[in-house]
Amino acid sequence: MTTLLQLVQAPWAQALGWALLHFLWQGLVLGLLAWVLLALLRGASARTRYGVACGLLLLMAASPAATFLHLLPAQRAAAAADLAVIGPLPAAVAPATLGFRLERLLPWFLAGWALGVGVLTLRFLGSWAWVQRLRHRGAEPVPGEWHLVLSRLCRELRLARTVRLLRSTLVEVPTALGWLRPVILLPASALAGLSPDFLEAILAHELAHIRRGDFVVNLLQTFAEALLFFHPAAWWLSRQIRETREHCCDDAAAALLGDPLPLAQGLAALAALRRSLPCDPDPALAAARGNLMHRITRLFQPQPAPAPSLRGLAISGCTDRLRRYVGGLEFGY
């Protein structure tokens, strides 16, 4: 207990705790800025909105780090000065300010933050292990004609990396994994139940993820979510990034095909195929269907994205992202 108390009272721990506390208002300011900018950019391209959202999430991640570096010298100086003080501070001098109260709660806040980051890190590692398992277990080569389709799409996308295409019994939707050695997993039900045109359109969408390097960006995004898990604005902005990323890949696939209709029909057919399965283990499928319908209508009739609500900025995304955290390492349809 004494060792733990000494640890949280170390200058670096004090600076970290205050940096995280300051992020409560910093994250709110950046979240409101993101809401305003994304509302103003409703008519802009998905790539522009995606770049702005990613930049703001980067600012969110950098804010506590910059605050920590700014506070650390002062905390070290204060710790050195405290060593020269003998005896407790007189009661009449003891400050009853908000800062004093927060300082007393700082060890508990730090412990809670460390526990949350530890839990999410363990889930991240579990997700990573699951992704590695998907590459090998229950996966087998697809029929030869689909390798020809994949090669043609890669050439048209100017994708130089070799992409493996496998049929998997462990995924329910087409899923792109990896960056240096990318893999696309097709569910057996999709190969059997979707028409070739629809499946080719969905393959173009997954290849767009690989072409853009979204797997790496998603890893960094998941890391930022783990560090900033205590702030709703970070979860909300992260969700905006994931949704806009899908729009970017939809646009790339539609441009490659020359017509958005096959992709929209393929997404609708894939959703219908999932609903026909005996069981659906996705607890957030209702929300996913809503997003999917927006993607389909957006492809048919491109229009400005709806402005995110202030209420959504305050409360949305937390439980949804925690529930779907395991899916954060992969890209489905």
Side-chain angles (χ1 to χ4, degrees):
M1 186 66 180
T2 303
T3 304
L4 181 60
L5 183 60
Q6 292 174 343
L7 180 64
V8 297
Q9 289 179 345
W12 67 267
Q14 293 286 309
L16 177 60
W18 281 112
L20 294 174
L21 283 175
H22 278 294
F23 181 71
L24 293 176
W25 68 265
Q26 293 170 347
L28 178 60
V29 171
L30 290 173
L32 289 174
L33 177 61
W35 178 80
V36 171
L37 289 178
L38 292 179
L40 293 175
L41 292 172
R42 282 180 296 173
S45 66
R47 290 183 61 182
T48 300
R49 289 170 54 83
Y50 180 74
V52 169
C54 287
L56 286 166
L57 184 62
L58 181 61
L59 280 178
M60 281 191 177
S63 294
T67 305
F68 169 78
L69 294 176
H70 174 72
L71 295 176
L72 185 57
Q75 289 296 328
R76 286 174 174 168
D82 288 343
L83 293 178
V85 177
I86 301 176
L89 191 66
V93 183
T97 62
L98 176 61
F100 178 72
R101 296 191 184 100
L102 288 176
E103 188 170 0
R104 297 185 62 181
L105 295 175
L106 206 58
W108 298 100
F109 183 73
L110 266 176
W113 176 79
L115 178 62
V117 171
V119 170
L120 292 180
T121 300
L122 288 176
R123 297 200 67 178
F124 170 81
L125 294 176
S127 300
W128 182 265
W130 174 250
V131 165
Q132 302 310 310
R133 181 186 181 193
L134 288 177
R135 288 174 173 270
H136 307 288
R137 185 168 180 179
E140 59 183 17
V142 298
E145 59 268 20
W146 284 109
H147 290 289
L148 298 177
V149 172
L150 183 71
S151 298
R152 175 173 54 81
L153 291 175
C154 287
R155 287 195 303 271
E156 294 175 355
L157 272 174
R158 298 180 181 178
L159 181 59
R161 278 167 288 169
T162 301
V163 181
R164 298 174 61 201
L165 184 60
L166 301 174
R167 173 170 49 192
S168 174
T169 58
L170 298 181
V171 298
E172 293 185 344
V173 295
T175 303
L177 304 173
W179 180 53
L180 294 177
R181 294 183 300 170
V183 175
I184 296 178
L185 301 178
L186 294 178
S189 58
L191 278 170
L194 294 183
S195 71
D197 289 342
F198 294 169
L199 198 53
E200 179 179 344
I202 293 174
L203 273 179
H205 173 95
E206 300 303 324
L207 286 173
H209 276 303
I210 297 173
R211 176 70 173 80
R212 289 162 37 88
D214 285 341
F215 188 81
V216 176
V217 177
N218 199 51
L219 289 179
L220 298 175
Q221 181 181 347
T222 303
F223 181 64
E225 288 173 348
L227 294 178
L228 307 178
F229 73 93
F230 60 94
H231 206 300
W235 289 104
W236 172 82
L237 182 56
S238 186
R239 188 178 67 177
Q240 301 302 313
I241 290 174
R242 295 186 194 282
E243 291 179 359
T244 310
R245 180 158 53 216
E246 296 304 317
H247 296 166
C248 290
C249 292
D250 287 343
D251 292 345
L256 179 64
L257 298 170
D259 184 4
L261 183 60
L263 178 60
Q265 292 177 326
L267 292 173
L270 188 58
L273 184 63
R274 289 191 69 189
R275 289 196 296 269
S276 68
L277 295 176
C279 62
D280 193 341
D282 188 350
L285 183 59
R289 286 172 181 158
N291 293 335
L292 181 61
M293 184 55 63
H294 173 64
R295 287 170 59 190
I296 292 174
T297 56
R298 178 182 172 277
L299 284 168
F300 278 125
Q301 299 175 350
Q303 55 187 343
S309 66
L310 284 173
R311 180 174 179 269
L313 175 62
I315 64 176
S316 70
C318 293
T319 55
D320 177 63
R321 292 305 311 146
L322 285 173
R323 186 172 55 221
R324 295 172 62 85
Y325 197 81
V326 171
L329 294 177
E330 56 193 66
F331 299 103
Y333 72 104

